[in-house]
Amino acid sequence: MERVDHLGHERRKAEFDVEAMKVVWAGSKRVLEISDRISRLVASDPVFKKDDRTTLSRKDLFNNTLRKAAHAWKRINELRLTEEEASRLRFYVDQPSYVDLHWGMFVPAIKGQGTEEQHKKWLPLAYKMQIIGCYAQTELGHGSNVQGLETTATYDPKSEEFIIHSPTLTASKWWPGGLGKVSTHAVVYARLLTDGRDYGVHGFIVQLRSLDDHLPLPGITVGDIGTKFGNGAYNSMDNGVLRFDHVRIPRDQMLMRVSQVTKEGKYLQSDVPRQLVYGTMVYVRQTIVADASNALSRAVCIAVRYSAVRRQFGSQDGGPELQVIDYKTQQSRLFPLLASAYAFRFVGEWLKWLYTDVTQRLQANDFSTLPEAHACTAGLKSLTTSVTADGIEECRKLCGGHGYLCSSGLPELFAVYVPTCTYEGDNVVLLLQVARFLVKTVSQLASGKEPVGTTAYYRRVEHLVQCACDVQRAEDWLKPSVVLEAFEARAIRMAITCAKNLSKAQSPEEGFAALSADLVEAAVAHCQLIIVSKFIDKVQEDIEGQGVKEQLQILCSVYALSLLHKHLGDFLSTSCITPKQGALANDMLRSLYAQVRPNAVALVDAFNYTDHYLGSVLGQYDGNVYPNLYEAAWKEPLNDTVVPDGYDEYIRPVLKQKFRISRL
């Protein structure tokens, strides 16, 4: 079938250097080159074919995943890929599997919480995948409340072993990816009991399965927890259940970087500060924010390309119907998501820097920025994942009825992504942690303690609680200083109001319970400010490429003003702006959508995604939507036969009315 570039005319409208924007999106020319090469390597390999994924049974899907993971590991070794290249290859294979938790949680946990001796013993095995690990923290009865975990690790000084045990049904480990059928080992979190005391939750390396025949070791009950939401999607992952019946492990398999148990059973803190374990948490959450950018940009790419191809209504005198992307209602829903994808990309880049900075400070015993970094990463994980999950669903709606087809790629993308809102911290719980930090920061202002990092704007509290927004015309909303001050004033005023209301409560905990909804909104305001400020910082960098800086400025303004529009009530109720200034912001936003319109397709082209990675008949580069949809329909297994298998047994009797008439 002839292939035509139906989006060529859209690409010719671009007012900027698309290749230069690809570099900005990737982060550097080197990273762009690696991503481009690896993505095309994956797309050209028939083993990584994925267009049948949503039609496979759970067992077939899982076996398909095992095959792809094994083939990926084979190619990584054959091509002698670097760690960065290998990570990119796993990313572009685009299928959740046990390797995600092995590399993303098991290895970082040992690196962050293990001693040098433990590194030497376990990491070479993990790096060569001679053992396969997972991260067993969440239990059937507890997830976000880590301190409430019930699994126990009781030390026996006679044998110099820990006894790992699940004392209740709710102590069963539940949800760890890779656990159900694959992992040979796990970092297990359990309550440390020794010398007659409970020392709280600690990590232990526990072997689960034999390295000879893969059978569970004595005392271990392990399996898959069942099918999850969506066709294909996260069902390629073997999320598992795990119970221990007095399983013994050697003493040196407790992760002992920050604390240890002596042979005699004495609990000791090491010279390494306990705060170092937070470095791993910061690392994991910054990768989650980066993943949010990837998932949202993917959905937006599909929706933008399809919206530019699809025509509906508006024809006059027999002329062509209007492109859906030209409807203002479509733009007002789609372009803020496009801007958000870029915003999350840049705040994700900044979080990589933050992780490096925090790690260096921790190693130098400087813990001054740790509480702020912890709150910041918790809040950004919550905000970006919630927006992305909702954004993917919005993109599905923006694609109309065709977006509901699995072949559009959007239903599976949503089903794969939505658990991110829960794992590594429930999003509402994380926002409440941010709110606690903000209220504490407010309370410390009187003591003279200087706020740091993303709360540095609290130093200007006197100005921000009484300043008036300096907007006279719609164009004033394009000034970064005006936008920043409005977002800072809103965030700090909401936090101060929460702190004042909390001070009136009979107890802090009662106050937090009663005001939890307000506290969540204050945390969201602070996190949105962080993203806006980092987007502004990015725009102010020296950026190469004709028109690239101008397009980023437009997207930055769209992101900020769309948030202002959505949360207008907050800005008005805190007196940060006037109703007239809010109306001017909306006027500016509408004019910005018109500026995004001619560049929309080129802006998603800058993501540089292959058709294989997008996995969407609606979002392919050539825009050949209708032939793609038609071809995809005939790949449906139901169409393998013209007459359905149940015709003789179920359909023919109905058509021929061959039923016995019985009297009740």
Side-chain angles (χ1 to χ4, degrees):
M1 187 176 290
E2 182 184 359
R3 293 294 177 186
V4 180
D5 183 2
H6 290 277
L7 293 172
H9 67 289
E10 289 289 336
R11 295 186 170 104
R12 288 189 289 273
K13 294 178 184 178
E15 301 167 339
F16 67 97
D17 183 342
V18 179
E19 293 304 313
M21 186 68 86
K22 287 181 180 179
V23 174
V24 172
W25 177 263
S28 70
K29 290 181 180 178
R30 183 188 64 83
V31 174
L32 175 62
E33 186 278 327
I34 291 173
S35 293
D36 196 51
R37 176 165 47 84
I38 297 298
S39 67
R40 296 182 190 284
L41 173 70
V42 171
S44 64
D45 193 322
V47 176
F48 296 132
K49 175 178 176 287
K50 64 180 188 180
D51 58 358
D52 62 344
R53 192 161 58 190
T54 59
T55 64
L56 297 176
S57 68
R58 176 78 199 288
K59 278 191 173 183
D60 287 342
L61 177 65
F62 183 64
N63 287 335
N64 177 265
T65 306
L66 297 181
R67 182 169 70 102
K68 287 182 180 179
H71 185 65
W73 184 240
K74 176 185 175 185
R75 296 298 286 150
I76 287 168
N77 285 290
E78 286 175 345
L79 299 172
R80 298 183 179 181
L81 299 185
T82 65
E83 188 174 337
E84 181 180 14
E85 290 170 331
S87 176
R88 285 283 87 191
L89 187 142
R90 289 190 290 268
F91 171 78
Y92 284 115
V93 168
D94 185 41
Q95 190 147 323
S97 78
Y98 65 89
V99 298
D100 300 347
L101 279 296
H102 176 82
W103 296 109
M105 296 295 291
F106 181 73
V107 170
I110 294 174
K111 287 173 68 175
Q113 299 171 39
T115 62
E116 290 299 321
E117 291 77 13
Q118 289 172 325
H119 289 176
K120 291 175 183 177
K121 177 178 179 179
W122 296 103
L123 290 180
L125 297 172
Y127 285 140
K128 294 176 184 176
M129 294 201 79
Q130 291 173 329
I131 62 172
I132 297 171
C134 67
Y135 188 84
Q137 178 172 291
T138 298
E139 295 178 355
L140 188 57
H142 286 91
S144 296
N145 181 15
V146 176
Q147 297 310 311
L149 297 180
E150 298 177 83
T151 303
T152 57
T154 306
Y155 184 66
D156 179 2
K158 295 179 181 177
S159 61
E160 297 182 16
E161 294 173 317
F162 286 103
I163 304 169
I164 312 295
H165 184 59
S166 308
T168 64
L169 179 68
T170 51
S172 305
K173 295 298 178 183
W174 191 271
W175 277 116
L179 169 65
K181 292 296 176 182
V182 178
S183 296
T184 62
H185 290 69
V187 170
V188 175
Y189 288 87
R191 310 192 71 80
L192 171 57
L193 307 177
T194 186
D195 202 23
R197 287 185 58 186
D198 181 340
Y199 286 93
V201 176
H202 290 69
F204 302 83
I205 300 173
V206 183
Q207 184 171 348
L208 308 176
R209 292 178 169 96
S210 166
L211 294 176
D212 294 322
D213 57 16
H214 207 61
L215 289 174
L217 297 182
I220 288 175
T221 301
V222 62
D224 187 276
I225 61 173
T227 305
K228 280 88 65 178
F229 173 69
N231 287 30
Y234 223 81
N235 287 300
S236 57
M237 180 75 79
D238 55 325
N239 298 90
V241 53
L242 171 66
R243 295 198 72 183
F244 299 100
D245 183 5
H246 299 92
V247 175
R248 290 178 173 267
I249 63 170
R251 183 183 67 90
D252 62 7
Q253 286 179 213
M254 171 186 171
L255 292 174
M256 293 190 181
R257 186 177 185 187
V258 298
S259 56
Q260 59 179 288
V261 172
T262 67
K263 293 180 180 180
E264 297 74 27
K266 298 297 180 183
Y267 181 83
L268 300 175
Q269 291 282 0
S270 72
D271 295 333
V272 177
R274 186 169 181 80
Q275 291 94 328
L276 275 176
V277 300
Y278 288 104
T280 303
M281 186 182 296
V282 172
Y283 168 77
V284 171
R285 287 178 177 163
Q286 67 94 10
T287 62
I288 291 175
V289 172
D291 288 343
S293 166
N294 294 328
L296 183 56
S297 61
R298 185 170 165 181
V300 167
C301 184
I302 295 168
V304 166
R305 287 177 177 173
Y306 176 69
S307 296
V309 172
R310 181 75 170 182
R311 291 178 179 271
Q312 202 80 287
F313 303 116
S315 62
Q316 295 180 355
D317 302 324
E321 295 177 277
L322 283 178
Q323 291 169 274
V324 171
I325 200 170
D326 285 328
Y327 286 100
K328 301 304 179 184
T329 49
Q330 192 84 349
Q331 293 176 8
S332 66
R333 296 161 64 195
L334 181 55
F335 291 169
L337 293 175
L338 173 59
S340 297
Y342 275 90
F344 294 173
R345 189 69 165 191
F346 301 141
V347 81
E349 286 181 1
W350 172 75
L351 281 177
K352 289 181 182 178
W353 170 86
L354 180 70
Y355 168 68
T356 302
D357 180 68
V358 167
T359 302
Q360 291 173 348
R361 287 174 181 270
L362 291 177
Q363 290 171 346
N365 289 340
D366 176 2
F367 311 120
S368 59
T369 64
L370 186 59
E372 183 269 333
H374 177 262
C376 169
T377 53
L380 290 175
K381 181 272 178 187
S382 174
L383 182 66
T384 58
T385 56
S386 293
V387 171
T388 296
D390 293 343
I392 295 169
E393 169 62 7
E394 187 69 4
C395 286
R396 183 194 66 78
K397 295 174 186 174
L398 287 164
C399 290
H402 295 330
Y404 192 63
L405 284 167
C406 283
S407 59
S408 76
L410 293 166
E412 187 181 16
L413 178 59
F414 177 75
V416 165
Y417 190 78
V418 74
T420 316
C421 296
T422 306
Y423 66 61
E424 290 313 300
D426 175 85
N427 281 356
V428 172
V429 173
L430 291 179
L431 287 174
L432 287 171
Q433 291 178 7
V434 177
R436 283 184 183 274
F437 169 74
L438 295 177
V439 169
K440 184 177 181 180
T441 303
V442 170
S443 69
Q444 291 175 335
L445 290 175
S447 66
K449 184 176 181 180
E450 274 209 342
V452 297
T454 57
T455 57
Y457 67 101
Y458 275 52
R459 300 173 190 173
R460 297 163 42 239
V461 59
E462 292 183 5
H463 170 73
L464 291 173
V465 296
Q466 60 186 6
C467 64
C469 180
D470 186 22
V471 167
Q472 305 297 324
R473 332 172 272 133
E475 291 74 15
D476 291 339
W477 280 116
L478 297 179
K479 299 175 182 176
S481 60
V482 170
V483 171
L484 264 182
E485 186 168 87
F487 274 79
E488 288 174 345
R490 166 207 178 204
I492 204 166
R493 292 178 194 187
M494 292 177 73
I496 288 173
T497 298
C498 285
K500 286 180 178 177
N501 290 335
L502 280 171
S503 67
K504 300 173 186 176
Q506 290 186 342
S507 72
E509 290 310 310
E510 285 185 16
F512 264 93
L515 296 168
S516 57
D518 295 345
L519 289 161
V520 164
E521 290 175 359
V524 167
H526 173 70
C527 295
Q528 288 174 342
L529 165 62
I530 294 172
I531 300 175
V532 168
S533 67
K534 299 310 170 187
F535 205 153
I536 289 173
D537 289 347
K538 184 67 179 182
V539 172
Q540 292 175 343
E541 291 179 5
D542 291 330
I543 299 173
E544 296 181 0
Q546 181 180 356
V548 171
K549 192 180 187 76
E550 289 75 12
Q551 287 307 308
L552 292 178
Q553 287 173 329
I554 292 169
L555 289 175
C556 182
S557 295
V558 167
Y559 179 71
L561 295 184
S562 63
L563 287 179
L564 191 150
H565 174 71
K566 183 177 181 180
H567 298 277
L568 188 58
D570 289 347
F571 287 91
L572 293 176
S573 65
T574 53
S575 301
C576 295
I577 66 173
T578 65
K580 182 179 179 181
Q581 290 169 334
L584 290 173
N586 289 342
D587 292 343
M588 191 69 248
L589 189 56
R590 282 193 295 273
S591 69
L592 288 168
Y593 291 156
Q595 295 176 56
V596 172
R597 169 64 189 93
N599 298 286
V601 169
L603 284 167
V604 300
D605 284 350
F607 302 150
N608 202 36
Y609 293 146
T610 62
D611 286 346
H612 174 272
Y613 177 69
L614 275 183
S616 169
V617 297
L618 303 186
Q620 290 184 8
Y621 186 84
D622 62 13
N624 217 23
V625 169
Y626 303 118
N628 293 339
L629 279 167
Y630 190 80
E631 287 180 14
W634 294 107
K635 295 177 182 177
E636 164 58 44
L638 278 178
N639 289 325
D640 289 347
T641 58
V642 176
V643 177
D645 294 339
Y647 171 77
D648 287 325
E649 189 173 359
Y650 302 113
I651 300 176
R652 183 179 174 84
V654 172
L655 291 171
K656 302 301 181 182
Q657 298 292 299
K658 292 185 176 180
F659 298 107
R660 290 182 179 179
I661 298 175
S662 61
R663 185 172 296 173
L664 295 177

